[in-house]
Amino acid sequence: MVVVFGYQNSQNYYYLKLCQYAPENKLYRIRNGNTVLLASANQTTLDDNNYHVICISRQGGQTKVYFDGYLLMNDYDSNFLSGKIALGAYKSKVYIDNVAINCSSTE
């Protein structure tokens, strides 16, 4: 499964990849077309055909990725504090259901 967030344009965004192979669960930043690994989790995630809850929490530059309620990745990067999102798959098939986006502001 792939989640793109903080999307500014095709050269600037964040990219979360989760899959059945633990070493491939990674969070990237693409800035000016250059890819930087921000965080990874050497833990199996999508290794079955069940639905899972994936949550990306952002406050300021703090990004936390939760998988079924457990913190999977944590990073601080404040390059893109807003932007578009996208959901999809990479070299696999994925079913997506019950998408929720919650926005809050402290301003």
Side-chain angles (χ1 to χ4, degrees):
M1 168 161 202
V2 173
V3 180
V4 172
F5 60 98
Y7 183 89
Q8 309 298 303
N9 56 47
S10 64
Q11 300 291 306
N12 297 284
Y13 56 92
Y14 295 104
Y15 176 89
L16 172 66
K17 184 171 112 179
L18 299 176
C19 69
Q20 64 184 358
Y21 306 108
E24 295 300 316
N25 293 310
K26 298 181 180 181
L27 175 63
Y28 300 96
R29 179 191 68 224
I30 291 75
R31 184 171 151 207
N32 298 323
N34 299 310
T35 303
V36 173
L37 177 65
L38 297 178
S40 63
N42 195 13
Q43 176 180 339
T44 302
T45 54
L46 303 175
D47 63 345
D48 55 32
N49 290 322
N50 296 321
Y51 281 97
H52 297 279
V53 176
I54 298 164
C55 176
I56 300 172
S57 171
R58 300 211 63 214
Q59 288 192 325
Q62 187 71 45
T63 301
K64 294 181 180 181
V65 177
Y66 294 90
F67 183 82
D68 288 339
Y70 295 97
L71 182 63
L72 186 65
M73 294 180 221
N74 188 9
D75 185 69
Y76 186 88
D77 184 281
S78 60
N79 279 271
F80 315 123
L81 298 178
S82 65
K84 298 176 183 177
I85 65 162
L87 307 171
Y90 177 77
K91 295 185 179 181
S92 64
K93 185 175 11 175
V94 64
Y95 296 98
I96 299 169
D97 193 11
N98 296 328
V99 176
I101 301 169
N102 298 311
C103 299
S104 63
S105 176
T106 57
E107 297 179 27

